[in-house]
Amino acid sequence: QVVAVYGTLSDLLSVASNKLGIKATSVYNGKGGLIDDIALIRDDDVLFVCEGEPFIDPQTDGRPHEGLTGSHTDWLTLNVGGRYFTTTRSTLVNKEPDSMLAHMFKDKDAWGNKQDHRGAFLIDRSPEYFEPILNYLRHGQLIVNDGINLLGVLEEARFFGIDSLIEHLEIAIKNSQPAEDHSPISRKEFVRFLLATPTKSELRCQGLNFSGADLSRLDLRYINFKMANLSRCNLAHANLCCANLERADLSGSVLDCANLQGVKMLCSNAEGASLKGCNFEDPSGLKANLEGANLKGVDMEGSQMTGINLRVATLKNAKLKNCNLRGATLAGTDLENCDLSGCDLQEANLRGSNVKGAIFEEMLTPLHMSQSVR
């Protein structure tokens, strides 16, 4: 019979009962899956209704599937964690014949006496996670109610060995994860973060993305920016005293007049940055450490850098005009084509540094060959 499918499953059973002259109680799809929700029915589905007897594929001329005996189509009840589920052996066996559930219920006596007082087979698992698995075995669709954790269903599917469902669940879990947000942190967001953090707490910002942010004139003392992205940031007049900028990306940033006393910038990348008029000199004797930093093309004109550690740093084409580099460590530093005119290099260690093409005119302290430059 051809019937219109509408309303609820009860409406469909009522129409089928009238059309076929039977008392229809169950609806199956063409593969023998029990349909318990009308939403699972597609436009081109061929449905089978019955008065409660097991599904038998008409293409087998009324004979059960090969390997299916009456024991496989018996109705049975499962007690899963205190909740009862009624199903058939064929549902538990046919779709995933190699699963644990299939092996558990292939034979009538597989569970021996593991039944409760009502005769239900006892399974010590979570009922809320078992329900989507049973429905999947019934109709082949993964349907999970709101509020059910997919990870819990996945663990149950793995426990019962429902391999085809495991793949569906892994895809569903992956699609449900929010996309990673790599967008830069704005000044407004960061200021709110600063205000919510106690002043005595260590603020850890390792690896965060501040690219292009305006962080000028902020108090950023002692903050850990290790490996953070601070490229093209405006840090002018910011207080970065004792901040950790190790391996941070400061390329193209503006740090003019920033307080960099005791800053740690080991192996940082500040290529093309502007650090004019910065103060690296700490009266307490704490030395700023820029060892191994990439400072190609930086403009550090007029900065106070007494005792700074620039060992093996790269300052090629940098502007250090009128800088105070007294007592600075410049051993192995690349100063090629660097403008050092007007600098104070008294007691500076230039051993092994590359000063090819560097400009030293109008130096406040003469450069002595004993300092072993190359």
Side-chain angles (χ1 to χ4, degrees):
Q1 296 281 348
V2 178
V3 298
V5 177
Y6 62 91
T8 65
L9 191 61
S10 297
D11 296 328
L12 175 60
L13 290 171
S14 177
V15 171
S17 297
N18 292 332
K19 290 278 187 179
L20 300 174
I22 64 173
K23 187 177 181 181
T25 60
S26 303
V27 181
Y28 294 90
N29 62 19
K31 295 182 179 180
L34 179 65
I35 293 176
D36 57 3
D37 189 334
I38 200 167
L40 299 172
I41 300 174
R42 296 173 297 185
D43 291 342
D44 57 348
D45 271 347
V46 175
L47 305 177
F48 297 85
V49 295
C50 67
E51 296 180 306
E53 64 272 19
F55 174 81
I56 298 176
D57 191 342
Q59 294 182 1
T60 64
D61 297 326
R63 297 188 306 274
H65 287 287
E66 184 179 352
L68 269 182
T69 64
S71 64
H72 289 87
T73 56
D74 291 341
W75 285 92
L76 49 83
T77 301
L78 309 177
N79 180 346
V80 182
R83 182 174 164 188
Y84 290 92
F85 296 89
T86 299
T87 184
T88 65
R89 291 184 189 274
S90 60
T91 295
L92 300 175
V93 171
N94 287 354
K95 187 169 183 61
E96 289 280 348
D98 295 324
S99 69
M100 179 189 292
L101 278 175
H103 288 297
M104 288 160 57
F105 291 101
K106 276 181 180 177
D107 301 317
K108 283 186 175 182
D109 299 326
W111 276 77
N113 61 355
K114 296 181 176 65
Q115 294 173 265
D116 66 8
H117 64 285
R118 294 172 54 178
F121 293 97
L122 291 163
I123 300 178
D124 186 19
R125 304 299 294 181
S126 168
E128 64 175 352
Y129 297 144
F130 181 78
E131 183 177 13
I133 292 174
L134 181 57
N135 285 332
Y136 175 77
L137 294 175
R138 285 168 170 163
H139 45 61
Q141 301 291 325
L142 173 60
I143 299 176
V144 181
N145 294 332
D146 291 341
I148 302 298
N149 191 331
L150 289 175
L151 289 172
V153 181
L154 175 60
E155 288 306 310
E156 293 301 288
R158 287 172 175 164
F159 175 81
F160 288 113
I162 315 297
D163 292 338
S164 59
L165 179 56
I166 291 173
E167 184 178 353
H168 286 301
L169 284 164
E170 288 175 341
I171 294 172
I173 290 170
K174 183 178 179 180
N175 293 336
S176 67
Q177 298 298 320
E180 293 187 15
D181 185 6
H182 296 289
S183 57
I185 298 171
S186 67
R187 179 186 179 93
K188 184 177 180 180
E189 290 174 313
F190 192 52
V191 168
R192 188 183 299 119
F193 185 40
L194 289 173
L195 293 175
T197 306
T199 55
K200 293 183 179 181
S201 298
E202 179 188 359
L203 203 56
R204 303 173 66 183
C205 298
Q206 299 101 310
L208 296 185
N209 185 5
F210 296 91
S211 179
D214 179 9
L215 305 178
S216 60
R217 301 181 183 277
L218 292 179
D219 185 355
L220 306 174
R221 289 175 295 171
Y222 302 99
I223 293 179
N224 189 345
F225 287 108
K226 187 175 181 179
M227 294 184 289
N229 183 358
L230 292 156
S231 61
R232 297 176 287 102
C233 277
N234 181 5
L235 289 156
H237 298 276
N239 187 355
L240 286 157
C241 176
C242 296
N244 186 353
L245 293 161
E246 183 178 346
R247 300 184 184 276
D249 185 0
L250 290 154
S251 57
S253 292
V254 176
L255 291 94
D256 296 344
C257 301
N259 181 6
L260 297 168
Q261 294 176 336
V263 72
K264 296 178 182 179
M265 291 177 61
L266 288 83
C267 301
S268 60
N269 176 24
E271 184 172 352
S274 178
L275 291 91
K276 293 185 290 187
C278 289
N279 180 26
F280 291 87
E281 184 178 353
D282 188 352
S284 67
L286 188 62
K287 309 296 185 183
N289 191 349
L290 281 74
E291 184 172 333
N294 177 14
L295 300 166
K296 288 182 181 179
V298 298
D299 188 350
M300 304 177 78
E301 184 175 347
S303 292
Q304 295 295 317
M305 295 187 281
T306 301
I308 193 172
N309 182 3
L310 286 164
R311 193 175 73 85
V312 299
T314 301
L315 284 154
K316 188 175 181 179
N317 300 318
K319 298 178 182 178
L320 280 77
K321 191 174 181 179
N322 300 321
C323 286
N324 183 357
L325 287 162
R326 181 173 296 195
T329 300
L330 296 161
T333 302
D334 185 359
L335 297 167
E336 184 177 347
N337 298 324
C338 212
D339 186 354
L340 291 156
S341 58
C343 286
D344 184 352
L345 285 162
Q346 185 175 349
E347 300 179 4
N349 180 3
L350 288 156
R351 181 172 287 106
S353 60
N354 176 19
V355 295
K356 181 181 178 180
I359 301 172
F360 290 97
E361 287 85 352
E362 302 176 2
M363 287 175 50
L364 296 180
T365 302
L367 181 66
H368 300 290
M369 294 304 294
S370 60
Q371 293 170 303
S372 303
V373 298
R374 55 185 172 88

